[in-house]
Amino acid sequence: MSFRDTGPLIALVVIVGIFAALSPGFRTLSNAQNIMDAAAVLAVVTCGVTFVLMMGSIDLSTPGIMGASAITVALLVANNRNDNELGLLGVALAILVAAGLGCLSGLALVLLKVPSFMTTLGVSAVGLGVATLLFAGVQPNISDGTLSGWAVDRFLGLSTLTWIAVACVLVGWMVQRYTRLGRYAFAIGGAEEVLALSGVNVKPYKVAVFTMAGAFYGLGGVMVTSQLGAGLVQAGRGYDFSAITAAVVGGTLLAGGRGGVLHSTVGVLLVTVLTNGLVLVGVSPYWQGGVQGLIVVAAVAAAVIPQRRRNQVTK
Amino acid sequence: TEEAAGDDTGDAGAATESCDPSEVTLVGQVRNESNPYEASWLDGGDAFAEQVGLSQERLTYDGDSTRQQEQISQLLAGDTDCLVMNVLPNGDSDTPPIVEGAEEAGAFLVTQWNKPADLAVTDYDSWLSHITYDGVDSGKQIGDALAEAIGGSGGIIALQGILDTGAAKDRFAGLEESLAGNPDVELLDDQTANFSRAEALDVTKTLLTKHGEDVKGIWAANDDMALGALEALEQAGRTDVAVVGIDAVPDALTAIEDGTMTATVSSDGPWQGGIGLAIGYCVATGELAVEDIAAEDRAWYAEQFLIEQENVGDFVAPETSESDFACDNLFSRSQGAIS
Amino acid sequence: MNMQIEPEQRATAPVTALEVRGLVKHYPGVKALDGVDLVVRQHEVVGLAGENGAGKSTLLKALVGLVRPDDGEIWVRGEKVRLRSVVDAADHGIGMVFQEQSLVPNLTVAENIVLGSEGLGVRRGVYRWDAMRRLAQEQLDKIGSRIDPLARTDTLTFADRQMVEIAKVLRIEERTSHPPVIILDEPTSVLESKEIDALFTQVRRLREFASVVFVSHRLDEVLDVCDRVAVLRGGQSVGELPTADAAPDQLHRMMIGSTGSDDHYHGAAVEPPAEPREPRLVVRGLCGRTFRDVDLDVHAGEIVGIVGVHGSGREDVCRALFGAEPTTAGEVTLDGEELDLSGTRAACAAGVGYVPAERKTEGMVGPMSVADNMTLTKQEARCSGPLVRPRKQAKLVDTWIQRLSIRTPHRGTPIQRLSGGNQQKVVLARWLVSGDVRLLLLDHPTRGLDIGARSEVYRLMRELASSGVATVLLADSLEEAIGMSDRIVVMNDGRATTEVDAPVGDKPTPLDLVKEMV
Amino acid sequence: MSTPVVTKPAPDAATVARPTVGQRLTAFMPVIALVVLLAALTVADPSFLTQSSLTAVVRTAAPLVVLAAGATLVVLCGGIDLSIAALCSLGTVLFAMWLPDLGGLTLLAVVAATGAIGALQGLAHVFLRIPSFIVTLGGMSIFGAVALVISDAGPIRVVDREATHWLTLYLAGVLPMAFVVALLVVAVVWTVQRFTPLDSWIRATGYSESAARLASAPVDRVKVAAFTVSGACAGLAAVMLVSRNFSGSPTMADNLLLPAVAAIVVGGTAITGGHGSLWRSLAGALVVTLLRVGLPIVGVPSAYEQILYGAIIVAAVALTLDRSKLLIIK
Ligand SMILES: Nc1ncnc2c1ncn2[C@@H]1O[C@H](COP(=O)(O)OP(=O)(O)OP(=O)(O)O)[C@@H](O)[C@H]1O
Ligand SMILES: Nc1ncnc2c1ncn2[C@@H]1O[C@H](COP(=O)(O)OP(=O)(O)OP(=O)(O)O)[C@@H](O)[C@H]1O
Ligand SMILES: [Mg+2]
Ligand SMILES: [Mg+2]
């Protein structure tokens, strides 16, 4: 394992150490649970974004896709707006809608040859539009027991949502390690042109990766709905940049071909611990964003120090 | 270079040559339709428009100040002779350019919620009125309700709104007033959750871990954050914490009915959406002259109510009646001029 | 499996494996192929020779479906085919090892070998690493390679990667029941002599069960390993030559269409550098990541070759002298003044020039024009004051295009459309346009160049040396190093171990050097 | 140095490869996209195509043009600047705070300050070797926090409007001064880039940084310069916003980030660097502005507006991107 791989982990340990020393509240078991719970949605979303980043593409469609899936699921399970009561089928359908939107970004990328930066930005707007349409001015509140229970029920001290996130990370890791889709995503980031020379048609795989990412965002949207007890159009606000930040902080390269789900998960924990710790240590709310930005930059800088003097390209 | 000549500026005295009712254009502008309160505001506008046989142009700017300015300036570049705008400025600082633009173009403007304190409506002819709710008062009212709910003593935490908005500041100032009057209530922590339900959930969870059992109450600067805090409490398995908010969104009213939430303060979206257009419409059609609007009705606090469990039934379905928007009844909900 | 073909069977009338008739391919402004004919028989190694830009790569790409020809026919075993993609070609038993290495660096060797046709290695989209490793091992065994199939490809040496490519291309055997056609486009240009020997052993082994098309600019190699050489010139077939009794000169004449000069290395004698003078470049105790305590003197007008095997660190010494690689200790002076090694700008300002070996990624900026690439370093040569003068640039660039006979439709053509050799000439020209270079560091400057272009580069180097430029040369082959250098430094494991004088008339033999290198 | 003697004949008279009609057309695609969009909006609402309406559009677009123009340089170098919007917000606060003391010099001071901050980010990117995405993402939150703190989390009114009055004037009665300034910025930067070696250096850096470095192009300096110009442009855009809003606020321009990047990409500049130009971003910014203000004004309901916006920007890029310069689209 190179320093590039362990660097973020070390940074995580250091930051946890610092906060633990500074704040007694941070050291408690309940706070650990709290951090895991808070990291759950981001972890799922970051799983999706990691595969896209691994290909060297970028994905900004998170807010739109999450918003669309949040509203969809809220309208399909038992809620105050209509008589639907599809339960887990509703969850599946919402994820399907999200995957469809993700597929749209992928299709626009490979068919229209528009960079993913733009297709995903466009799909985000489309997703928000669809969500607003479905929202129709009245907040759908969920009364579905299973879904609301996800945020509350605990198993071994962790909420169901956290276990879902753990499962997602595991699935993500397996996909990355053991499936053609995952390995090709990795290879596309390494040398896309070589795949073509080897007779691999990369287009379906690109579309599939965006679709899978969409499904992860969709699940993220469902999880937010479960947490908030209501379907919000803004369910995914801010998750675009925070997921990319988490992935990059964890050592997944924006240029592709490096890193992976486990790296990104470390990044997610790092970012979540920071948010949590800064509140507990009592940093002024005015400064929190700034301090967080500074630490993220510092963490990445520290991770690249070992290779800094090589004649290597940074974009 | 010379001054803009591009606009076919109706001069400021447009009110004198009144518009035919059918020629009036009604525009309502809010942040987005994905927020129940603001969606209901636009619906109120639609209801009024229907009442006078017109339709309302619904504009949303997604909480983006620049986009709001862009839309307004585009709007004012069109035909402005009989244009009536009922606008929710994104922040205090967004009001002056909107006002100046409307004044220059001669469009009738009513603003709500946000206005810099030193900007006087009476200095303008096209800016007919500014309506808001007294944030300090509402912040204090729910602060007091919270203090009462926790029995007059104990720790509370506060969730602030978007830090650079007047509403957030006023409401928090109201909380501070309330705290001064309830010396045994201690403010354990204040954090911003940006008026957002999701952020409030995370912040509240963190603060609950930090302060644990010391937290007896949560003061939130709006209902969305209060609802987020409620979710956090539910997830933490806490039922002993009182929560208050502001805005009277439907979910909060349900929560108050259920007893999970303590209090909120009403702001009547449908009425706000209608009244702004009504004032403009009455002036545009000549039924009301700007000069005849009393100075205290140019910038005023609208009536608001503290909603608790005992009176929540009266507010569950806010309704507007035609009489609310009659030209001689426009200012009936005034609680006095903004000081 | 075709391995079992009996020798007797081979001796009978050879079967045509592949035939090309009148192939034509136009690119904007260039006729890359202009009616090319080629026949490849089974169990035959056919060489393909031609100058840079003659159309060799284009022809080969057409054979694997990467280039759609405008006209002409391709016949495989008596059947006319249309090749639309690499897969198509593989289905017809044609596979290619590309001029630029084409492996995915962040995948394992095994994955690279099976990439695109995983077969049993993947079942329903799920990897079975064991099966995959076994598949890859089988391929590697075929060529007798001992590379670990689960190693990450970017950890391998260049030569090993080449082996992986061959192992990979051999997989097409499984797609057809016929002996495959394996195409190798300049496989030797990046290899050391020992590795080249190993490769040739492979090629001869391949002949047992396949046909091979082999391209190289080293004519002796071509004659050595091939049964027959086909020559291309300006996109046209100009003839064939059985290799049995051919000499490089003969082949070269066919390639350029006239009796060319054949002074590859040392042409006219050059006066030996005046000894008593202070050396222009003095390196003392230079240490870096991959080299230690390197001492080196280079006089003005002298060409010093550095030889060593892969990993000897010579490349990094060069880069360090150009400020592109960090150093930890040591002193370097140029004409008595300390040389600033902090960055490439400083080195360039001090009069140091560097031509990197990796032309595609480090030598040139592909989408930029020939002119812009040529003047990228010495902007002042095309500016007056801070302003660029397009006319001045055009004149300057056109002059150099003429002087170095760079084959390009226009100075405004993106450099990536040029053939490899012509690209290299543009990169070299970059350091010549202003004429103020004092020390030139050349890392494999003739890699991929045809014999004509190469002798031009040699002539150029000579000219530069006699005008007083000090040159450090990392040569493409030991012969080149010996022929071109006045003095040779042998590097071994990061240290400069031996120094051998190589004056005209008293050259060391390759064997002398090899002894020192290992 | 003597001229090397070359015995070989010069190659046959070089044939000039003239750009084909298709290639010429791709160069004008951003403008075509703009015209098509304008036509479509006019069809949807004929009253949209009036002189006053177009004047309003270009006035509105001015800050976006300036922001996008600066960031285009960074994108051309192969990086990205996510901090422009936050820096612009900070710029509005600085302007409002400094105006009472500095008067007419405030504009220069703000542009210098944001330029310096941009340079700082460039230096961090170059010397710490942190990807520009991360440096500027960090910068985005840091500048946001600084703006919040120094402004005491609120808008600062600008009472003295004289200082920015000139920006609100109109040239020949129709061309807003702010837009003229934006055009000037594009023209000046483009000219400087075009007629100096900068163009070569920037494109070489964007296409292949390592090749540029080994050709001893001043890669680091070019990058830092690009970030500096990007920062300065953010400052200038801030002044334009203040002139329009009569106040500075710590979040004023935050929402302009994605529109600005969209403007760059819609113009056809490759997000991976190397290929593109400032005037493309100018056209891109106008397209984005038309979409932002045009769709709601011609009466598209808000939900459909977002869907249309998404579809149209993707379609616009599909039209404007010159794929012959890009081997792989990521
Ligand atoms: N994609 C392309 N676009 C335009 N012209 C091209 C392209 N590829 C090759 N050419 C041109 O076609 C001609 C033949 O090129 P090719 O690469 O086949 O030469 P080559 O014989 O392989 O040369 P080398 O020995 O240098 O590799 C050259 O003039 C080259 O500039
Ligand atoms: N970026 C790198 N990271 C780690 N090790 C490297 C790197 N580049 C080179 N090396 C190692 O450093 C050693 C020296 O490599 P170098 O390329 O300088 O050898 P060389 O003698 O120039 O080889 P060649 O004969 O190909 O020119 C090799 O063992 C190589 O694997
Ligand atoms: Mg070739
Ligand atoms: Mg080497």
Side-chain angles (χ1 to χ4, degrees), chain A residues 178 180 183-184 186 198 257, chain C residues 86 106 111 118 125 127 168:
Chain A
Y178 289 105
R180 174 144 48 188
R183 296 305 292 179
Y184 277 11
F186 201 57
S198 306
Chain C
V86 185
N106 56 347
E111 283 170 283
E118 286 90 349
Y127 267 39
K168 171 179 176 176

Side-chain angles (χ1 to χ4, degrees), chain C residues 158 192 309-311 314-316 357-358 443-444 447 474:
Chain C
F158 225 100
E192 304 280 332
V309 294
H310 266 309
R314 56 187 183 144
E315 186 179 330
D316 286 345
E358 302 282 344
D443 188 357
H444 298 83
R447 181 176 282 178
L474 308 194

Side-chain angles (χ1 to χ4, degrees), chain A residues 278-300:
Chain A
L278 289 178
V279 173
L280 287 183
V281 170
V283 174
S284 140
Y286 290 0
W287 277 116
Q288 272 171 24
V291 173
Q292 208 170 336
L294 211 59
I295 295 180
V296 163
V297 172
V300 174

